[in-house]
Amino acid sequence: MNEELKIKEHYVDLLMVCAGIKQASEEEQEKAVKDVFRMLLMFRSANRIEGKISSKDVEKRVVALEEKVQSTVKLVEQITGFLFKEKPQPT
């Protein structure tokens, strides 16, 4: 039971990296995307999740996911920059 919890925690950690919630280098992001797909396939083969995971155009889907992550990161940076922008001092 403890091992299953560790796997779930690792999976959630990877998803946080993919979603841009957790800080990670570009290499770590790429590895996280690949690891998430591997884990999905593993979960599917172990009957932990249902449904069909299409293997067609996996690289294309990975690229699209990476682009979405980068867009999300840019938006978060813009929002954070706006929220924490220094306000002019009244004179």
Side-chain angles (χ1 to χ4, degrees), residues 56-67:
K56 282 190 169 184
D57 296 326
V58 171
E59 185 65 30
K60 185 177 178 181
R61 289 186 290 162
V62 169
V63 169
L65 180 59
E66 289 172 343
E67 289 171 356

Side-chain angles (χ1 to χ4, degrees), residues 58-83:
V58 171
E59 185 65 30
K60 185 177 178 181
R61 289 186 290 162
V62 169
V63 169
L65 180 59
E66 289 172 343
E67 289 171 356
K68 288 177 186 177
V69 167
Q70 291 303 320
S71 295
T72 303
V73 168
K74 287 178 185 175
L75 287 172
V76 168
E77 288 172 353
Q78 288 175 350
I79 291 169
T80 330
F82 176 76
L83 291 174

Side-chain angles (χ1 to χ4, degrees), residues 14-24 29 69-70 72-73 76:
L14 290 173
L15 289 176
M16 290 175 67
V17 171
C18 291
I21 296 169
K22 183 177 179 182
Q23 287 285 77
Q29 289 175 347
V69 167
Q70 291 303 320
T72 303
V73 168
V76 168

Side-chain angles (χ1 to χ4, degrees), residues 24-35:
S25 69
E26 191 173 320
E27 289 174 354
E28 291 170 325
Q29 289 175 347
E30 288 177 25
K31 184 180 180 320
V33 169
K34 291 176 185 175
D35 288 349

